[in-house]
Amino acid sequence: GENVEQHPSTLSVQEGDSAVIKCTYSDSASNYFPWYKQELGKGPQLIIDIRSNVGEKKDQRIAVTLNKTAKHFSLHITETQPEDSAVYFCAAIDTGGFKTIFGAGTRLFVKA
Amino acid sequence: KAGVTQTPRYLIKTRGQQVTLSCSPISGHRSVSWYQQTPGQGLQFLFEYFSETQRNKGNFPGRFSGRQFSNSRSEMNVSTLELGDSALYLCASSLGAMDSPLHFGNGTRLTVT
């Protein structure tokens, strides 16, 4: 089955700096890679996703890159703001069944 | 469009009891997945239902079960509760394709004493 590893577990940046979170996956057939943001007291919310037919996708200050050969993908947040502080999860599809496997999460702190 | 609704938000139960959690998906979504979230284990997949059929199940004991109704609403049940079952239980709905994004509710916080 799919296994997703995520690094770092904690990330602290100054407001305005960039933040990068990296993930690797094991199922080479996996073709969908979403990222979720979880704020305190809430469920995870999708912030961006990428499919295996593209190498990069951007949405304002957020971008995701995918390297299928190396089986890793990354989330890039530019010009970080205090409201970006949250836990971020990467995920990948287990092609053996209808389930999404999550990384362990990265707690991002943005210091004002 | 209303989001995913989970009830209740909080539950306190005693060891040995059983509990039922409820999830109402986004209108039009036929897939419901359940996850257990704990600080040490992250988001662990419990099971997924589509049109009342369980399509996949995670590595949890048989005390954890679920079902889905014809209106796509879902329930999960945990019997003979153990202290280690204390967690945030999250439900997510989707259109049901492998690459359909999940839409999560805000969870049910279960505490077992």
Side-chain angles (χ1 to χ4, degrees), chain A residues 11 13-14 16-20 77-80:
Chain A
L11 181 58
V13 300
Q14 285 292 139
D17 286 351
S18 295
V20 180
I77 306 174
T78 58
E79 300 171 25
T80 53

Side-chain angles (χ1 to χ4, degrees), chain A residues 41-52:
Chain A
K42 296 185 178 180
Q45 300 299 309
L46 180 75
I47 55 172
I48 194 167
D49 56 13
I50 189 167
R51 288 172 172 79
S52 58

Side-chain angles (χ1 to χ4, degrees), chain A residues 14-101:
Chain A
Q14 285 292 139
E15 183 179 1
D17 286 351
S18 295
V20 180
I21 302 170
K22 298 182 178 182
C23 291
T24 59
Y25 62 97
S26 60
D27 183 350
S28 56
S30 193
N31 60 1
Y32 176 64
F33 307 91
W35 286 86
Y36 292 84
K37 174 184 180 182
Q38 186 174 26
E39 297 175 326
L40 202 59
K42 296 185 178 180
Q45 300 299 309
L46 180 75
I47 55 172
I48 194 167
D49 56 13
I50 189 167
R51 288 172 172 79
S52 58
N53 57 344
V54 297
E56 183 174 358
K57 182 177 179 181
K58 268 188 174 181
D59 182 4
Q60 299 182 1
R61 297 186 296 108
I62 294 173
V64 58
T65 58
L66 171 65
N67 182 327
K68 285 224 72 179
T69 304
K71 291 192 283 187
H72 69 69
F73 56 116
S74 301
L75 178 72
H76 305 252
I77 306 174
T78 58
E79 300 171 25
T80 53
Q81 300 166 4
E83 52 265 37
D84 293 330
S85 295
V87 179
Y88 292 80
F89 293 95
C90 63
I93 301 305
D94 185 330
T95 57
F98 291 89
K99 62 180 177 180
T100 301
I101 303 301

Side-chain angles (χ1 to χ4, degrees), chain B:
Chain B
K1 213 179 212 182
V4 176
T5 303
Q6 290 188 247
T7 56
R9 283 300 309 273
Y10 303 93
L11 265 177
I12 300 175
K13 291 286 187 178
T14 305
R15 267 179 303 176
Q17 289 186 314
Q18 75 162 18
V19 67
T20 299
L21 312 182
S22 181
C23 173
S24 293
I26 290 172
S27 177
H29 284 189
R30 295 165 65 189
S31 168
V32 172
S33 300
W34 288 89
Y35 286 83
Q36 181 194 65
Q37 186 174 28
T38 58
Q41 297 297 314
L43 282 157
Q44 298 293 310
F45 174 80
L46 281 155
F47 25 68
E48 189 263 359
Y49 288 87
F50 182 83
S51 292
E52 302 179 68
T53 299
Q54 186 183 87
R55 292 195 296 191
N56 209 336
K57 190 177 188 308
N59 297 321
F60 280 81
R63 300 184 297 107
F64 292 80
S65 62
R67 59 179 176 168
Q68 187 180 34
F69 302 96
S70 58
N71 62 358
S72 294
R73 192 176 69 84
S74 178
E75 289 181 347
M76 68 163 280
N77 184 275
V78 188
S79 62
T80 320
L81 284 165
E82 300 177 359
L83 294 178
D85 296 334
S86 294
L88 180 67
Y89 289 88
L90 290 161
C91 159
S93 74
S94 79
L95 291 172
M98 286 269 244
D99 62 349
S100 295
L102 299 178
H103 299 262
F104 283 89
N106 288 330
T108 294
R109 171 77 60 190
L110 172 64
T111 302
V112 182
T113 62

